[in-house]
Amino acid sequence: MSVLIKGGTVVNAELSLRADVICDGGLITAVGADLDAPSDATVIDAGGQYVMPGGIDPHTHMQLPFMGTVASEDFETGTTAGLAGGTTMIIDFVIPGPQQNIMEAYKQWREWAEKSVSDYSFHVAITWWDDSVHDDMGTLVRDHGVNSFKHFMAYKGAIMADDEILVNSFARSLELGAIPTVHAENGELVFRLQKELFEKGITGPEGHPLSRPPECEGEAANRAIRIAEVLKVPLYVVHNSCRQSLEAITRARNEGQRVFGEVLAGHLLIDDSIYRHKDFEVAAAHVMSPPFRSSEHQDALWKGLQSGNLQTTATDHCCFCADQKAAGKDDFRLIPNGTGGVENRMEVLWHHGVSTGKLTMNEFVKVTSTNAAQIFNVYPRKGSIAVGADADIVVWDPQATKTISTKTDHQNVDYNIFEGMEVTGCPSYTISQGKVVYADGELNVERGAGRYVDRPPFAPFYDALKKQAQLAEPVAVKR
Ligand code: DUC
Ligand code: ZN
Ligand code: ZN
């Protein structure tokens, strides 16, 4: 079955042009003026609309077992919600428990993800260290299409990676041609601040941001960046929420270091006053880490995106319903951390980014799709409208409006952090693997249609980095 998208403007990261697009056999087979439809083709009239690469959300946690419960959104419902919002690929995380065999965890997550309706891939978290972890990292890169490893610098006593783990895993990543990524928060400081606040009687959600100040994030981001600098390995810092971590990234990039930064739609648009909301349910629904920050930080993050010092946007989609959040009713430290957004990332970024003149349409494509595809090495298969690329496409109606609400969204969670937000600019069609899976508000998805996407290592570039690392051996001292 083929699809002809007719009369639209194709918007790629590097250029926009009036062109029709034909999809056949899951791939884009033609891009050009006045293309004729094959006789069996479904024809989409994209007049007055933009035809863009489907979004890639490089940071989600579907059905994550976390803080004594399991995220409510699974791989089927989560990827369905993504498609309704124009996101055609997610990169989720395998997170082994402390001492859990890495390959066993990887297989478990692969099994859970088989029901996905759109394509997906996995970063793998390194939560502990021994020779088996070292070897399993090699197996994952060589045989299983993994080219990125995640390190949580927070969550002491659970999945936190200390400096020893960071150093071992970053060095191993360089050897393998993989990119380390970090959740940057100083877990020791967070642990101490949480305890102090609780002992002072601050037990509600307002304690959450107080226990995780921006300085904790800035310190951890800078530490990870400097470790990566010494080891000569590129680094990706996930969900930057504050000026301090952005400054650490910007400084390093200005010094020529290969560091990438991600920002979440929520951190760009929601401020920390929400944690002081009178209703526990509302405040708790926003508990995620790092927390939402004051508007000073949002301004800085937008500038980071505009300047190119932050390259990707994500959601950290990790949903917990009110009954799950209630576990922390009397102790904010027990509120499961996580918020949703996979369905709304593209539209809130368009509305607040493109419509306000902060981002061009091409920059929008870069930060919602192309940059993630390039950084995680699946470009141009993903992240571009080009002959031979996967036919993962969103047709974008810049005039369409909607009010975001949990009553109408497809996310499997009872609270939408963008509740009530009015946006102009929404997907009218989403095409995944060449099939129309979302059209004018109707979904037509198939459980299990999503494919695991292999991401190869970064071999030639890393060879040069490895040579540099070897050159940096100590010079003998003559006495
Ligand atoms: N932060 C969250 O809010 N949830 C899942 C994991 C994380 O780092
Ligand atoms: Zn995180
Ligand atoms: Zn996360």
Side-chain angles (χ1 to χ4, degrees):
M1 197 199 70
S2 56
V3 176
L4 169 66
I5 308 169
K6 209 157 176 57
T9 299
V10 170
V11 183
N12 269 321
E14 69 281 7
L15 88 169
S16 315
L17 77 162
R18 288 293 297 271
D20 301 339
V21 177
I22 296 181
C23 312
D24 198 11
L27 301 177
I28 296 173
T29 52
V31 181
D34 302 322
L35 299 179
D36 286 326
S39 55
D40 67 337
T42 303
V43 180
I44 291 176
D45 176 5
Q49 304 194 55
Y50 300 116
V51 181
M52 304 190 285
I56 300 173
D57 188 334
H59 189 156
T60 65
H61 300 282
M62 305 304 172
Q63 65 190 83
L64 174 68
F66 192 54
M67 295 184 71
T69 184
V70 178
S72 57
E73 187 89 277
D74 69 23
F75 281 92
E76 181 179 3
T77 59
T79 50
T80 301
L83 290 176
T87 288
T88 51
M89 178 176 171
I90 60 167
I91 314 183
D92 207 275
F93 294 81
V94 173
I95 307 184
Q99 311 300 316
Q100 186 187 6
N101 177 275
I102 307 293
M103 294 310 299
E104 175 193 291
Y106 171 77
K107 282 177 193 143
Q108 175 66 82
W109 257 267
R110 284 290 304 266
E111 207 180 298
W112 285 336
E114 276 170 13
K115 56 184 175 289
S116 299
V117 303
S118 72
D119 287 356
Y120 57 93
S121 194
F122 283 116
H123 311 281
V124 176
I126 301 303
T127 52
W128 60 290
W129 191 261
D130 76 355
D131 287 349
S132 77
V133 179
H134 170 279
D135 294 349
D136 288 346
M137 286 174 76
T139 307
L140 287 167
V141 173
R142 278 190 300 270
D143 304 336
H144 296 279
V146 173
N147 70 14
S148 51
F149 292 100
K150 167 80 176 282
H151 308 81
F152 289 90
M153 297 171 79
Y155 302 115
K156 180 177 159 70
I159 51 177
M160 182 169 102
D162 61 15
D163 283 3
E164 185 183 357
I165 298 177
L166 296 182
V167 168
N168 282 323
S169 176
F170 283 21
R172 180 66 172 145
S173 297
L174 175 67
E175 261 171 35
L176 294 168
I179 185 165
T181 79
V182 286
H183 165 135
E185 285 186 299
N186 184 315
E188 292 294 342
L189 278 173
V190 170
F191 184 77
R192 187 186 172 94
L193 293 176
Q194 284 181 327
K195 187 164 173 290
E196 280 177 10
L197 285 157
F198 190 76
E199 284 169 1
K200 271 191 205 149
I202 300 176
T203 59
E206 70 279 10
H208 179 69
L210 298 174
S211 68
R212 313 180 91 100
E215 292 74 16
C216 285
E217 187 177 332
E219 184 283 325
N222 197 57
R223 179 158 38 102
I225 288 168
R226 293 309 171 193
I227 292 172
E229 180 187 24
V230 171
L231 296 174
K232 303 216 162 24
V233 64
L235 179 69
Y236 179 92
V237 183
V238 309
H239 55 36
N240 292 278
S241 73
C242 63
R243 177 178 55 74
Q244 286 80 347
S245 59
L246 170 61
E247 281 174 357
I249 292 172
T250 306
R251 193 162 52 240
R253 289 176 65 84
N254 286 342
E255 289 167 1
Q257 203 180 329
R258 202 167 184 79
V259 179
F260 302 106
E262 169 191 282
V263 62
L264 307 185
H267 284 134
L268 287 166
L269 295 168
I270 296 166
D271 78 68
D272 59 352
S273 60
I274 198 72
Y275 295 117
R276 298 185 291 281
H277 196 283
K278 61 180 177 17
D279 296 335
F280 170 84
E281 281 74 20
V282 176
H286 291 83
V287 166
M288 63 141 336
S289 296
F292 299 121
R293 307 285 191 193
S294 63
S295 59
E296 170 218 347
H297 296 286
Q298 290 163 27
D299 293 346
L301 295 172
W302 275 112
K303 287 178 186 149
L305 257 192
Q306 290 175 277
S307 63
N309 284 310
L310 299 174
Q311 298 76 32
T312 61
T313 59
T315 56
D316 203 356
H317 187 87
C318 184
C319 296
F320 299 104
C321 293
D323 58 336
Q324 297 173 290
K325 294 273 184 179
K329 189 96 187 79
D330 302 317
D331 182 347
F332 69 85
R333 297 172 296 181
L334 303 179
I335 301 171
N337 284 204
T339 54
V342 73
E343 183 167 349
N344 308 117
R345 177 184 65 122
M346 308 269 289
E347 54 208 17
V348 300
L349 270 156
W350 181 276
H351 183 84
H352 292 277
V354 179
S355 301
T356 57
K358 288 190 178 88
L359 300 173
T360 65
M361 289 191 294
N362 307 91
E363 286 165 348
F364 172 83
V365 168
K366 278 187 201 172
V367 303
T368 56
S369 182
T370 309
N371 286 349
Q374 291 180 339
I375 292 168
F376 295 113
N377 216 14
V378 287
Y379 182 85
R381 173 179 174 190
K382 303 287 187 188
S384 79
I385 304 282
V387 172
D390 281 0
D392 281 3
I393 297 174
V394 59
V395 180
W396 197 263
D397 181 350
Q399 310 294 342
T401 58
K402 87 183 215 198
T403 304
I404 296 173
S405 174
T406 191
K407 295 194 188 86
T408 46
D409 72 26
H410 302 83
Q411 300 180 152
N412 192 29
V413 62
D414 54 9
Y415 193 89
N416 189 314
I417 55 168
F418 302 114
E419 184 71 34
M421 189 181 282
E422 289 174 25
V423 290
T424 301
C426 302
S428 54
Y429 297 89
T430 308
I431 294 157
S432 170
Q433 300 176 40
K435 287 199 198 117
V436 181
V437 288
Y438 177 78
D440 294 320
E442 294 299 320
L443 278 157
N444 181 18
V445 299
E446 187 191 334
R447 180 182 164 96
R451 300 166 301 185
Y452 176 74
V453 177
D454 278 322
R455 295 177 296 117
F458 308 85
F461 175 65
Y462 269 54
D463 288 346
L465 291 176
K466 278 185 255 178
K467 271 197 203 117
Q468 274 186 39
Q470 282 153 14
L471 287 176
E473 275 171 13
V475 179
V477 178
K478 283 189 193 151
R479 299 196 191 277

Coordinates of all heavy atoms in Angstrom, one line a residue, residues 59 61 93 150 152 239 316, ligand 3:
H59 N 13.6 10.4 25.1 CA 13.7 10.2 26.5 C 12.3 9.9 27.1 O 11.5 10.8 27.4 CB 14.2 11.4 27.2 CG 14.5 11.3 28.7 ND1 15.4 12.0 29.4 CD2 14.0 10.4 29.6 CE1 15.5 11.7 30.6 NE2 14.6 10.7 30.8
H61 N 10.0 6.7 29.5 CA 10.0 5.6 30.4 C 8.7 4.9 30.4 O 7.8 5.2 31.3 CB 10.4 6.0 31.8 CG 11.7 6.7 32.0 ND1 12.9 6.0 32.0 CD2 12.0 8.0 32.2 CE1 13.9 6.9 32.2 NE2 13.3 8.1 32.3
F93 N 14.4 3.5 28.0 CA 15.6 3.2 28.8 C 15.4 1.8 29.4 O 14.4 1.5 30.1 CB 15.8 4.1 30.0 CG 16.1 5.5 29.5 CD1 15.1 6.4 29.1 CD2 17.4 6.0 29.5 CE1 15.5 7.7 28.7 CE2 17.8 7.3 29.1 CZ 16.8 8.1 28.7
K150 N 23.2 5.1 29.9 CA 22.7 6.2 30.7 C 23.2 6.0 32.2 O 23.3 4.9 32.6 CB 21.1 6.1 30.8 CG 20.4 6.8 31.8 CD 20.2 8.3 31.4 CE 19.4 9.1 32.4 NZ 18.0 8.8 32.3
F152 N 22.5 7.5 36.1 CA 21.7 8.4 37.0 C 22.7 8.8 38.1 O 23.2 8.0 38.9 CB 20.6 7.6 37.7 CG 19.5 7.2 36.7 CD1 19.5 6.1 35.9 CD2 18.4 8.1 36.5 CE1 18.5 5.7 35.1 CE2 17.4 7.8 35.6 CZ 17.4 6.6 34.9
H239 N 17.6 16.0 30.1 CA 16.7 16.9 30.8 C 17.3 18.0 31.6 O 17.2 18.1 32.8 CB 15.7 16.2 31.7 CG 16.1 15.2 32.7 ND1 17.3 15.3 33.4 CD2 15.6 14.0 33.1 CE1 17.4 14.3 34.3 NE2 16.4 13.5 34.1
D316 N 10.7 12.9 29.0 CA 10.9 12.1 30.2 C 9.6 11.4 30.5 O 9.2 11.3 31.7 CB 11.5 12.9 31.3 CG 12.2 12.0 32.3 OD1 12.2 10.8 32.2 OD2 12.8 12.6 33.3
Ligands
ZN3 ZN 14.2 9.9 32.6

